Amino acid sequence: MYSDKVMDHFQNPRNVGEIEDASGVGTVGNAKCGDIMRIYLEIDDEGIIRDVKFKTFGCGAAVATSSMATELVKGKSIREAMLVTNKAVMEALDGLPPVKVHCSLLAEEAIHAALWDYAEKNGIVIEGLERPRSDISEHEEEAAY
Ligand code: FES
């Protein structure tokens, strides 16, 4: 049912934890399944994501997608991080079963929420970034299958 990569990231998740005084923190949840994800970003003066950590209170696919999403944005610029969609995360994991696609959306939204927090704290606008939703369950159908 799950790819080797999903199982690997579920069993050995990368970048678990939190960052004290993070540049941006984003928390999103899905009211339907009750899962919650929080992402911490440390962004330097050049706008490069130097460190990223996550905490996920959720299913195995949510843990695996958060882990992969943090790996994909680490060391990247904000603009590059904006390209890390749930589809990109799923591809990097060699796919997810259709019923688990919404879990990857949680990862994308949590990164966006953390970037939004960073932008607000610094009074900047990140192109293409929309105000995050704290509950994404109503928008699951928009997920890219
Ligand atoms: Fe909700 Fe996976 S079942 S995030």
Side-chain angles (χ1 to χ4, degrees):
M1 182 179 182
Y2 289 114
S3 72
D4 290 345
K5 279 194 190 161
V6 173
M7 290 311 291
D8 177 32
H9 278 265
F10 168 56
Q11 283 165 338
N12 310 292
R14 313 339 183 232
N15 309 308
V16 175
E18 51 189 277
I19 297 174
E20 248 180 75
D21 301 323
S23 315
V25 182
T27 306
V28 295
N30 183 321
K32 273 191 198 149
C33 64
D35 292 348
I36 297 169
M37 194 180 292
R38 181 170 298 155
I39 297 253
Y40 301 81
L41 296 175
E42 188 184 307
I43 301 173
D44 70 12
D45 295 343
E46 313 291 316
I48 303 295
I49 298 170
R50 289 293 166 206
D51 199 10
V52 49
K53 296 267 188 250
F54 81 90
K55 280 189 169 174
T56 289
F57 310 92
C59 73
V63 172
T65 52
S66 346
S67 169
M68 181 55 90
T70 57
E71 287 285 272
L72 291 176
V73 301
K74 205 173 192 174
K76 301 279 170 61
S77 67
I78 291 170
R79 202 162 48 86
E80 288 167 329
M82 285 294 293
L83 301 175
V84 177
T85 59
N86 77 304
K87 207 165 165 239
V89 174
M90 280 195 296
E91 275 168 17
L93 285 169
D94 292 337
L96 279 175
V99 293
K100 289 291 175 181
V101 169
H102 78 270
C103 317
S104 65
L105 201 57
L106 212 51
E108 177 188 320
E109 289 289 324
I111 288 172
H112 286 179
L115 286 172
W116 183 272
D117 182 43
Y118 165 76
E120 276 204 322
K121 279 180 182 157
N122 290 278
I124 59 168
V125 173
I126 297 175
E127 206 184 316
L129 184 63
E130 289 174 15
R131 178 176 285 278
R133 319 176 260 253
S134 52
D135 173 17
I136 65 160
S137 63
E138 288 156 25
H139 302 272
E140 275 173 17
E141 61 278 7
E142 291 168 17
Y145 282 81

Coordinates of all heavy atoms in Angstrom, one line a residue, residues 70-134:
T70 N 9.9 18.8 4.8 CA 11.0 19.6 5.4 C 12.3 19.4 4.7 O 13.1 20.3 4.5 CB 11.2 19.2 6.9 OG1 11.4 17.8 7.0 CG2 10.0 19.6 7.8
E71 N 12.5 18.1 4.2 CA 13.7 17.9 3.4 C 13.8 18.7 2.2 O 14.8 19.1 1.7 CB 13.8 16.4 3.1 CG 14.2 15.5 4.3 CD 15.6 15.6 4.7 OE1 16.4 14.8 4.1 OE2 15.9 16.4 5.5
L72 N 12.6 18.8 1.5 CA 12.5 19.5 0.3 C 12.7 21.1 0.4 O 13.1 21.7 -0.6 CB 11.2 19.2 -0.4 CG 11.0 17.8 -0.9 CD1 9.6 17.6 -1.5 CD2 12.0 17.4 -2.0
V73 N 12.4 21.6 1.5 CA 12.5 23.1 1.7 C 13.8 23.5 2.4 O 14.2 24.7 2.3 CB 11.3 23.8 2.4 CG1 10.0 23.5 1.7 CG2 11.3 23.4 3.9
K74 N 14.5 22.6 3.0 CA 15.7 22.9 3.7 C 16.8 23.4 2.8 O 17.1 22.7 1.8 CB 16.2 21.7 4.4 CG 17.1 21.9 5.6 CD 17.4 20.6 6.4 CE 18.0 20.9 7.7 NZ 18.1 19.6 8.5
G75 N 17.4 24.5 3.1 CA 18.5 25.1 2.3 C 18.0 25.8 1.0 O 18.8 26.3 0.3
K76 N 16.7 25.9 0.9 CA 16.1 26.5 -0.3 C 15.7 28.0 0.0 O 15.6 28.4 1.1 CB 14.8 25.8 -0.7 CG 15.0 24.3 -1.1 CD 15.6 24.2 -2.5 CE 16.1 22.7 -2.7 NZ 15.0 21.7 -2.6
S77 N 15.5 28.7 -1.1 CA 15.0 30.1 -1.0 C 13.5 30.1 -0.7 O 12.9 29.0 -1.0 CB 15.3 30.9 -2.2 OG 14.6 30.4 -3.3
I78 N 13.0 31.2 -0.3 CA 11.5 31.2 -0.1 C 10.8 30.9 -1.4 O 9.8 30.2 -1.4 CB 11.1 32.6 0.5 CG1 11.7 32.7 1.9 CG2 9.6 32.8 0.4 CD1 11.5 34.1 2.5
R79 N 11.3 31.5 -2.5 CA 10.6 31.2 -3.8 C 10.6 29.8 -4.2 O 9.7 29.2 -4.6 CB 11.3 32.1 -4.9 CG 10.5 32.4 -6.1 CD 11.0 33.5 -6.9 NE 12.5 33.4 -7.1 CZ 13.0 32.7 -8.1 NH1 12.2 32.2 -9.0 NH2 14.3 32.6 -8.3
E80 N 11.8 29.1 -3.9 CA 11.8 27.7 -4.2 C 10.9 26.9 -3.3 O 10.3 25.9 -3.7 CB 13.3 27.2 -4.0 CG 14.2 27.6 -5.1 CD 15.7 27.4 -4.8 OE1 16.1 27.5 -3.6 OE2 16.5 27.2 -5.7
A81 N 10.8 27.3 -2.0 CA 10.0 26.6 -1.0 C 8.5 26.7 -1.5 O 7.7 25.8 -1.2 CB 10.2 27.2 0.4
M82 N 8.2 27.8 -2.1 CA 6.8 28.0 -2.6 C 6.4 27.0 -3.7 O 5.3 26.7 -3.9 CB 6.6 29.4 -3.1 CG 6.5 30.5 -2.1 SD 5.0 30.3 -1.0 CE 3.7 30.7 -2.2
L83 N 7.4 26.4 -4.3 CA 7.2 25.4 -5.3 C 7.0 24.0 -4.8 O 6.7 23.1 -5.5 CB 8.3 25.4 -6.4 CG 8.6 26.8 -7.1 CD1 9.8 26.6 -7.9 CD2 7.4 27.2 -7.9
V84 N 7.2 23.9 -3.5 CA 7.0 22.6 -2.9 C 5.5 22.3 -2.6 O 5.0 22.6 -1.5 CB 7.9 22.4 -1.6 CG1 7.7 21.1 -0.9 CG2 9.4 22.6 -1.9
T85 N 4.8 21.9 -3.6 CA 3.4 21.6 -3.4 C 3.2 20.2 -2.9 O 4.1 19.4 -2.8 CB 2.7 21.6 -4.8 OG1 3.4 20.6 -5.6 CG2 2.9 23.0 -5.5
N86 N 1.9 19.9 -2.5 CA 1.7 18.6 -2.0 C 1.9 17.5 -3.1 O 2.4 16.4 -2.8 CB 0.2 18.5 -1.5 CG -0.8 18.3 -2.6 OD1 -0.9 19.2 -3.5 ND2 -1.6 17.3 -2.6
K87 N 1.8 17.9 -4.4 CA 2.1 17.0 -5.5 C 3.6 16.7 -5.5 O 4.0 15.6 -5.7 CB 1.6 17.7 -6.8 CG 1.3 16.7 -7.8 CD 0.5 17.4 -8.9 CE 0.5 16.4 -10.1 NZ 1.1 17.0 -11.3
A88 N 4.4 17.8 -5.3 CA 5.8 17.6 -5.3 C 6.3 16.6 -4.2 O 7.1 15.8 -4.3 CB 6.6 18.9 -5.2
V89 N 5.6 16.8 -3.0 CA 5.9 16.0 -1.9 C 5.5 14.5 -2.2 O 6.3 13.6 -1.9 CB 5.2 16.5 -0.6 CG1 5.4 15.5 0.6 CG2 5.7 17.9 -0.2
M90 N 4.4 14.4 -2.7 CA 3.9 13.0 -3.1 C 4.8 12.3 -4.1 O 5.2 11.2 -4.0 CB 2.5 13.0 -3.6 CG 1.5 13.1 -2.5 SD -0.2 12.8 -3.2 CE -0.4 14.0 -4.3
E91 N 5.3 13.1 -5.1 CA 6.2 12.5 -6.1 C 7.5 12.1 -5.5 O 8.0 11.1 -5.8 CB 6.4 13.6 -7.2 CG 5.3 13.5 -8.3 CD 5.4 14.7 -9.2 OE1 6.4 15.4 -9.3 OE2 4.3 14.9 -9.9
A92 N 8.0 13.0 -4.5 CA 9.2 12.6 -3.9 C 9.1 11.4 -3.0 O 10.1 10.7 -2.8 CB 9.7 13.8 -3.0
L93 N 7.9 11.1 -2.6 CA 7.7 9.9 -1.8 C 7.2 8.7 -2.7 O 6.8 7.6 -2.1 CB 6.6 10.1 -0.8 CG 6.9 11.0 0.4 CD1 5.7 11.4 1.2 CD2 7.9 10.3 1.3
D94 N 7.3 8.8 -4.0 CA 6.9 7.8 -4.9 C 5.4 7.5 -4.7 O 4.9 6.3 -4.8 CB 7.7 6.5 -4.7 CG 9.1 6.7 -5.1 OD1 9.4 7.6 -5.9 OD2 10.0 5.9 -4.6
G95 N 4.6 8.5 -4.4 CA 3.2 8.4 -4.4 C 2.6 8.0 -3.0 O 3.3 7.6 -2.1
L96 N 1.2 8.3 -3.0 CA 0.5 8.0 -1.8 C -0.8 7.4 -2.2 O -1.3 7.7 -3.3 CB 0.1 9.3 -1.0 CG 1.2 9.9 -0.1 CD1 0.6 11.2 0.5 CD2 1.5 9.0 1.1
P97 N -1.4 6.5 -1.4 CA -2.8 6.0 -1.8 C -3.8 7.1 -1.9 O -3.6 8.1 -1.1 CB -3.1 5.0 -0.6 CG -1.9 4.8 0.1 CD -1.0 6.0 -0.1
P98 N -4.7 7.1 -2.8 CA -5.7 8.2 -2.9 C -6.3 8.7 -1.6 O -6.5 9.9 -1.4 CB -6.8 7.6 -3.9 CG -6.0 6.6 -4.6 CD -5.0 6.0 -3.7
V99 N -6.6 7.8 -0.7 CA -7.3 8.3 0.6 C -6.3 9.0 1.4 O -6.7 9.6 2.4 CB -7.9 7.1 1.4 CG1 -9.0 6.4 0.6 CG2 -6.8 6.1 1.8
K100 N -5.0 9.0 1.1 CA -4.0 9.7 1.9 C -3.5 11.0 1.3 O -2.6 11.6 1.8 CB -2.9 8.7 2.2 CG -3.3 7.6 3.2 CD -3.5 8.2 4.5 CE -4.0 7.2 5.5 NZ -4.2 7.7 6.9
V101 N -4.1 11.3 0.1 CA -3.6 12.5 -0.5 C -3.8 13.8 0.3 O -2.9 14.7 0.4 CB -4.3 12.7 -1.9 CG1 -4.0 14.1 -2.5 CG2 -3.9 11.6 -2.9
H102 N -4.9 13.8 1.1 CA -5.1 15.0 1.9 C -4.0 15.2 3.0 O -3.8 16.3 3.4 CB -6.5 14.9 2.6 CG -6.6 14.0 3.8 ND1 -6.9 12.7 3.7 CD2 -6.3 14.3 5.1 CE1 -6.9 12.2 4.9 NE2 -6.5 13.1 5.8
C103 N -3.3 14.1 3.4 CA -2.3 14.3 4.4 C -1.1 15.1 3.8 O -0.5 15.9 4.5 CB -1.8 12.9 4.8 SG -3.1 11.7 5.0
S104 N -0.9 14.9 2.5 CA 0.2 15.7 1.9 C -0.2 17.2 1.8 O 0.7 18.1 1.8 CB 0.6 15.2 0.5 OG -0.5 15.3 -0.4
L105 N -1.5 17.4 1.7 CA -1.9 18.8 1.6 C -1.6 19.5 2.9 O -1.3 20.7 3.0 CB -3.4 18.8 1.3 CG -4.0 20.1 0.7 CD1 -3.3 20.5 -0.6 CD2 -5.5 19.9 0.5
L106 N -1.7 18.8 4.0 CA -1.5 19.4 5.3 C 0.0 19.9 5.4 O 0.3 20.9 5.9 CB -1.7 18.3 6.4 CG -2.2 18.6 7.8 CD1 -3.4 19.5 7.7 CD2 -2.5 17.4 8.6
A107 N 0.9 19.1 4.8 CA 2.3 19.5 4.8 C 2.5 20.8 4.0 O 3.2 21.7 4.4 CB 3.2 18.4 4.2
E108 N 1.9 20.9 2.8 CA 2.0 22.1 2.0 C 1.5 23.3 2.7 O 2.1 24.3 2.8 CB 1.3 21.9 0.7 CG 1.3 23.1 -0.2 CD 0.4 23.0 -1.5 OE1 0.3 21.9 -2.1 OE2 -0.3 24.0 -1.8
E109 N 0.3 23.1 3.3 CA -0.3 24.2 4.0 C 0.4 24.7 5.2 O 0.5 25.8 5.6 CB -1.8 23.8 4.4 CG -2.7 23.7 3.2 CD -3.1 25.1 2.6 OE1 -3.2 26.1 3.4 OE2 -3.2 25.2 1.4
A110 N 1.0 23.7 5.9 CA 1.8 24.1 7.1 C 3.0 24.9 6.7 O 3.4 25.8 7.4 CB 2.2 22.8 7.9
I111 N 3.7 24.5 5.6 CA 4.8 25.3 5.2 C 4.3 26.7 4.8 O 5.0 27.7 5.2 CB 5.5 24.7 4.0 CG1 6.3 23.4 4.5 CG2 6.5 25.6 3.3 CD1 6.8 22.6 3.4
H112 N 3.2 26.8 4.1 CA 2.7 28.1 3.7 C 2.4 29.0 4.9 O 2.6 30.2 5.0 CB 1.5 28.0 2.8 CG 1.9 27.5 1.4 ND1 0.9 27.3 0.4 CD2 3.1 27.3 0.9 CE1 1.6 26.9 -0.7 NE2 2.8 26.9 -0.4
A113 N 1.8 28.3 5.9 CA 1.4 29.0 7.2 C 2.6 29.6 7.9 O 2.6 30.7 8.4 CB 0.6 28.1 8.1
A114 N 3.7 28.8 7.9 CA 5.0 29.2 8.5 C 5.6 30.4 7.7 O 6.1 31.3 8.3 CB 6.0 28.1 8.6
L115 N 5.5 30.3 6.4 CA 6.0 31.4 5.6 C 5.2 32.7 5.8 O 5.7 33.8 5.8 CB 6.0 31.0 4.1 CG 7.1 30.0 3.6 CD1 6.8 29.5 2.2 CD2 8.5 30.6 3.8
W116 N 3.9 32.5 5.9 CA 3.0 33.6 6.1 C 3.4 34.3 7.4 O 3.5 35.5 7.5 CB 1.5 33.1 6.2 CG 0.6 34.3 6.3 CD1 0.1 34.8 7.5 CD2 -0.1 35.0 5.3 NE1 -0.7 35.8 7.3 CE2 -0.9 36.0 5.9 CE3 0.0 35.0 3.9 CZ2 -1.6 36.9 5.2 CZ3 -0.8 35.9 3.2 CH2 -1.6 36.8 3.8
D117 N 3.6 33.5 8.5 CA 4.0 34.0 9.8 C 5.3 34.8 9.7 O 5.4 35.9 10.2 CB 4.2 32.8 10.8 CG 4.5 33.3 12.2 OD1 3.9 34.3 12.6 OD2 5.4 32.7 12.8
Y118 N 6.3 34.3 8.9 CA 7.5 34.9 8.7 C 7.3 36.3 8.0 O 7.9 37.3 8.3 CB 8.5 34.0 7.9 CG 9.6 34.7 7.3 CD1 10.7 35.0 8.1 CD2 9.7 35.0 5.9 CE1 11.9 35.7 7.5 CE2 10.8 35.7 5.4 CZ 11.9 36.0 6.2 OH 12.9 36.6 5.6
A119 N 6.5 36.2 6.9 CA 6.2 37.4 6.1 C 5.6 38.5 7.0 O 5.9 39.7 7.0 CB 5.3 37.1 4.9
E120 N 4.6 38.1 7.8 CA 3.9 39.1 8.7 C 4.9 39.7 9.7 O 4.9 40.9 9.9 CB 2.8 38.4 9.5 CG 1.5 38.3 8.7 CD 0.3 38.1 9.6 OE1 0.4 37.4 10.6 OE2 -0.7 38.7 9.2
K121 N 5.7 38.9 10.3 CA 6.7 39.3 11.3 C 7.7 40.3 10.7 O 8.2 41.2 11.4 CB 7.5 38.2 11.9 CG 6.8 37.4 13.0 CD 7.6 36.3 13.5 CE 6.9 35.4 14.5 NZ 7.5 34.1 14.6
N122 N 8.0 40.2 9.4 CA 9.0 41.0 8.8 C 8.4 42.1 7.8 O 9.1 42.8 7.2 CB 9.9 40.1 8.0 CG 10.8 39.3 8.9 OD1 11.8 39.8 9.4 ND2 10.4 38.1 9.2
G123 N 7.1 42.1 7.8 CA 6.4 43.2 7.0 C 6.7 43.0 5.5 O 6.9 44.0 4.8
I124 N 6.8 41.8 5.0 CA 7.0 41.6 3.6 C 5.9 40.8 3.0 O 5.1 40.2 3.7 CB 8.4 40.8 3.3 CG1 8.4 39.5 4.0 CG2 9.6 41.6 3.8 CD1 9.5 38.6 3.6
V125 N 5.9 40.8 1.6 CA 4.8 40.1 0.9 C 5.6 39.0 0.1 O 6.5 39.3 -0.6 CB 4.0 41.0 0.0 CG1 3.1 40.2 -0.9 CG2 3.3 42.1 0.8
I126 N 5.1 37.8 0.2 CA 5.7 36.7 -0.5 C 4.7 36.4 -1.7 O 3.5 36.1 -1.5 CB 5.8 35.4 0.3 CG1 6.8 35.7 1.5 CG2 6.3 34.2 -0.5 CD1 7.0 34.6 2.5
E127 N 5.3 36.6 -2.9 CA 4.5 36.4 -4.1 C 3.8 35.1 -4.2 O 4.4 34.0 -4.0 CB 5.4 36.6 -5.3 CG 4.7 37.1 -6.5 CD 5.6 37.2 -7.7 OE1 6.7 37.7 -7.5 OE2 5.2 36.8 -8.8
G128 N 2.5 35.1 -4.4 CA 1.8 33.8 -4.6 C 1.3 33.2 -3.3 O 0.6 32.1 -3.3
L129 N 1.7 33.8 -2.2 CA 1.3 33.2 -0.9 C 0.0 33.7 -0.4 O -0.2 34.9 -0.3 CB 2.4 33.5 0.2 CG 2.2 32.8 1.5 CD1 2.2 31.3 1.4 CD2 3.3 33.3 2.5
E130 N -1.0 32.8 -0.1 CA -2.3 33.3 0.4 C -2.4 33.0 1.9 O -1.7 32.2 2.5 CB -3.4 32.5 -0.3 CG -3.5 32.8 -1.7 CD -4.5 32.0 -2.5 OE1 -5.2 31.2 -1.8 OE2 -4.5 32.0 -3.7
R131 N -3.2 33.8 2.5 CA -3.4 33.7 4.0 C -3.8 32.2 4.3 O -4.7 31.7 3.6 CB -4.6 34.6 4.4 CG -4.9 34.5 5.9 CD -6.0 35.5 6.2 NE -5.4 36.9 6.3 CZ -4.8 37.3 7.4 NH1 -4.6 36.6 8.4 NH2 -4.3 38.6 7.4
P132 N -3.1 31.6 5.2 CA -3.3 30.2 5.5 C -4.7 29.9 6.2 O -5.2 30.8 6.9 CB -2.2 29.8 6.4 CG -1.7 31.1 7.0 CD -2.0 32.2 6.0
R133 N -5.2 28.7 6.0 CA -6.4 28.3 6.7 C -6.0 27.4 7.8 O -5.0 26.6 7.7 CB -7.3 27.5 5.8 CG -7.4 28.1 4.3 CD -8.2 27.1 3.5 NE -7.3 26.3 2.7 CZ -7.2 26.4 1.4 NH1 -7.7 27.4 0.7 NH2 -6.4 25.6 0.7
S134 N -6.6 27.6 9.0 CA -6.2 26.7 10.1 C -6.8 25.3 9.9 O -6.3 24.3 10.4 CB -6.6 27.3 11.4 OG -7.9 27.7 11.4

